[in-house]
Amino acid sequence: MVRTKSKDTLPDVELRLSTAQESARRSQGAASEVYKRLRRAIVEGEIRPNEPLIEADLAQALQVSRTPIRESLQRLAADQLITPRKRGWAVREYSLEEIRERSEVRAALEGYAARLAATRATDAEIAAIVAIQDERDRTADLTPAYRVEANRRFHDAIIAAARNTRLADDIFRVGQFYFNKHIAKLTTDEERRLNQQDHREIINAIQARDGRRAEDAMRSHIMQTFTVFQRISGN
Amino acid sequence: MVRTKSKDTLPDVELRLSTAQESARRSQGAASEVYKRLRRAIVEGEIRPNEPLIEADLAQALQVSRTPIRESLQRLAADQLITPRKRGWAVREYSLEEIRERSEVRAALEGYAARLAATRATDAEIAAIVAIQDERDRTADLTPAYRVEANRRFHDAIIAAARNTRLADDIFRVGQFYFNKHIAKLTTDEERRLNQQDHREIINAIQARDGRRAEDAMRSHIMQTFTVFQRISGN
DNA sequence: GCATGCAAGTTCGCATGCAAAGTACGGACA
DNA sequence: TGTCCGTACTTTGCATGCGAACTTGCATGC
């Protein structure tokens, strides 16, 4: 009997992968495609937390055998996106406490990246960062999706300027769960204003080549983002 | 034809795994055992960098089929211990540049851990950290293995006091390649003296509950360790 | 002597079979 | 009615088969 849940309509949208993850895998083949799809489905919330992942069902839905499914589940577990059950795997649920921990890790890593960027960025890279933020401020179309994208580009530009691919990969790993469009929809005007102000402070510090100030600004920006989470989940 | 390299004599010593990694996997079964053995063989240098890993050979050597071997290779790739070739996998080689990048990541993470420890550690935890270092200073038997162990315990105690399991896991991930007994053998007396001095400075800052100073001290300690690497590989 | 192309051998990616471990359900008994 | 237990079913872990992709090495021509 064929089981059809929502799984057989998984979207096949392209996923951004960190460079190391991309290069650490054969980037083509059935297993890789399965991995991208499952990852997308989990990150987007299509597969609910604690929902068990049945190998045979996924194989059926994605029209491959269980072997590439199993390989993908291994990768997802390494990404901490799924967690082992006595039997099989389930989508991982993140407690507020865990999000706090991850926020601290991100503050440590991305703060350090901002510090490095302040000393290592070329003038062109700084100009690019400023341009991204300027465009964000100029844009009228502030849909959640656009805000997520603009935010991501801002952070990515700083991380790139830090010139440390391992650091960039680890930031991607820990940060991949945050600020998606679902969250973006729930922010208040005041929070957005604070957010933009934070970005400007980071930019100012980098322009001044002040590593310590850039690091502090990035850290408090990230921990500020956590308080938004806290508000949203705490209501 | 059966190929017998050194692989069929892989040691089956217990491996310390980070909590998340341990819990992220079924901890029993053939695949898990294979993973531990291969990991050990790579970290210990039994399998040389760039040496290709042939699924069938490993299966033969470890007396399992290719399936658990393939699963283990996936995990090792996630750990960044092996890297994909056009065909198959090979043990990863670390350039000095990559070690520098990893050192920076470790400085960011473990520095932050030291900062958190300075504010969060209980008096008992601080006493434990001090006790570890006192014992190290008192011990006459300074074999490389002992020094590695004492160093690890010192760092672990601080990380534990930071009370952030995710941070601890990420530090383990990035730091697992450093300061093993091969490296410990190559350090100079002066480097060891500096090392112990660094540890004392970190302790002092934590005792003073000075997060910023603890963070700075830990960072410079870790980057100092990198310069030792540089010296060793640069000769 | 060197390059080029072809063929044989190697190794992998994926599919599938099977046994064992786990799970749920229904019936019997308190 | 509630609990305990056995049985049938589900789902996994591991083994293995097969076709395809890549590599290697030799032969042939320039």
Side-chain angles (χ1 to χ4, degrees), chain B residues 25-178:
Chain B
R25 312 293 187 182
R26 253 163 240 39
S27 50
Q28 49 198 357
S32 184
E33 188 58 33
V34 167
Y35 169 70
K36 288 180 189 173
R37 283 193 173 212
L38 289 180
R39 187 192 172 94
R40 178 84 182 184
I42 293 167
V43 172
E44 295 278 301
E46 249 182 282
I47 306 179
R48 292 286 153 72
N50 292 320
E51 186 167 344
L53 297 160
I54 308 300
E55 293 179 3
D57 289 355
L58 297 173
Q60 170 73 36
L62 298 175
Q63 290 296 299
V64 292
S65 79
R66 282 171 52 219
T67 305
I69 297 288
R70 286 172 60 81
E71 183 174 319
S72 298
L73 293 175
Q74 289 292 331
R75 295 192 195 178
L76 294 168
D79 291 344
Q80 299 277 318
L81 284 170
I82 64 178
T83 191
R85 288 264 174 284
K86 283 147 291 189
R87 183 98 172 261
W89 307 90
V91 174
R92 187 139 182 214
E93 170 126 67
Y94 288 97
S95 67
L96 188 63
E97 173 58 15
E98 172 137 20
I99 292 174
R100 184 189 64 75
E101 290 200 350
R102 284 178 176 272
S103 295
E104 288 183 354
V105 172
R106 199 183 146 210
L109 290 172
E110 210 165 332
Y112 202 80
R115 171 187 287 255
L116 293 179
T119 55
R120 294 181 184 170
T122 63
D123 289 344
E125 283 171 331
I126 292 178
I129 295 166
V130 172
I132 290 166
Q133 192 60 22
D134 285 349
E135 189 198 305
R136 158 70 172 81
D137 288 347
R138 244 187 288 112
T139 303
D141 170 37
L142 287 177
T143 60
Y146 174 81
R147 287 190 290 119
V148 169
E149 177 66 12
N151 184 65
R152 188 185 63 69
R153 290 208 296 145
F154 173 78
H155 285 270
D156 281 356
I158 291 171
I159 292 162
R163 295 207 190 337
N164 182 322
T165 56
R166 183 116 308 282
L167 184 61
D169 285 341
D170 285 356
I171 290 169
F172 175 77
R173 274 183 70 87
V174 74
Q176 64 194 333
F177 309 105
Y178 302 139

Side-chain angles (χ1 to χ4, degrees), chain A residues 37-54:
Chain A
R37 283 192 173 212
L38 288 180
R39 187 192 172 94
R40 179 84 183 184
I42 293 167
V43 171
E44 295 278 301
E46 249 181 282
I47 306 178
R48 293 285 154 71
N50 291 320
E51 186 167 345
L53 297 159
I54 309 300

Side-chain angles (χ1 to χ4, degrees), chain A residues 3 53-56 66 70 87-88:
Chain A
R3 302 165 198 220
L53 297 159
I54 309 300
E55 292 178 4
R66 282 172 51 219
R70 286 172 60 82
R87 184 99 171 259

